[in-house]
Amino acid sequence: MKCVDAHVHLSDKEYSDSTEELMAEAKSANVVALVSNSMDLETSIESLKLAKRYSGKVFAALGIHPWNVQSLTEDELHKTLELISEQRQNKAVIAIGEIGLDYKYEKIWDKQLMVFKEMLSLAEKLDLPVIIHSRGTTAQIVEMLPSFSLNRVLLHWFSNPISALSKAVEHGYYITEGPPTAYSNGIREVVRRTPLNNLLTETDGPVRYFKNPFNGKKTTPAFLPTVVKAVAEIKKMSDIDVSEQIIRNFEGFFRVKLN
Ligand SMILES: [Zn+2]
């Protein structure tokens, strides 16, 4: 059964000593593609290196995470936007992400909004998909996105409100869910209500999951078969059918052909 990780932070420092090990685990778990999401300029450059090193398996999403907006200088923002534009022709660069808005960082709200809009405008201009973080801001983001011409939107770790989910699905947005699918009733409800054609899987590693069956162990791509099985159980389908559809979703959304 093939799996994909549409949202992982392979360029995170926590993984820097164990990339080889993680990729070996991905291989034995039959994880055929990973999207290395970036947090800032430095991790964007690192994601590009990883995508080059593991060509055809690791793809890069470049961007600035709302958590990294506080320390962001104008120069760094400019350089990141420039890097994304320059890399548009690089087939390994398949999205802008992770970008978004986080209500916990309300003190820098205006700056978050400014950076997010810059990224959305660039995605519109370059026709790249966006991978969005929307903690506490999902409804607002789903309201604001139609003012941009974005064809491909991925709402990562969608949790609530359910009312925003139906709107997102109506707009054709994709949802990505990870390990909580195995234990969280809230996330299971989101998966239940999301058409399988709009769904992707993720680990968001190195984020750790403390509930059963993950129990705080280091997050690796090897968690993905558990996620696919949980989706299959919710959708009352076979693991293989779910896995095949998710692979097709990945290829269609990111416009890549996986081996
Ligand atoms: Zn993330």
Side-chain angles (χ1 to χ4, degrees), residues 54-105:
Y54 301 102
S55 172
K57 195 132 213 183
V58 171
F59 298 91
L62 312 178
I64 293 161
H65 194 288
W67 300 350
N68 291 56
V69 160
Q70 188 154 18
S71 59
L72 180 74
T73 63
E74 215 171 294
D75 182 53
E76 194 186 347
L77 172 62
H78 186 71
K79 282 187 176 148
T80 312
L81 293 166
E82 224 172 53
L83 178 73
I84 301 170
S85 301
E86 276 167 25
Q87 292 291 329
R88 178 62 185 99
Q89 298 313 317
N90 179 347
K91 285 198 165 35
V93 175
I94 57 171
I96 293 184
E98 174 173 3
I99 58 171
L101 298 171
D102 191 314
Y103 84 101
K104 280 215 168 174
Y105 293 72

Side-chain angles (χ1 to χ4, degrees), residues 7-9 37-39 65 67 97-98 131-133 156-157 202-207:
H7 189 102
V8 57
H9 296 274
N37 279 247
S38 309
M39 303 291 284
H65 194 288
W67 300 350
E98 174 173 3
I131 301 176
I132 297 181
H133 167 106
H156 132 74
W157 201 331
E202 67 177 24
T203 60
D204 202 18
V207 168

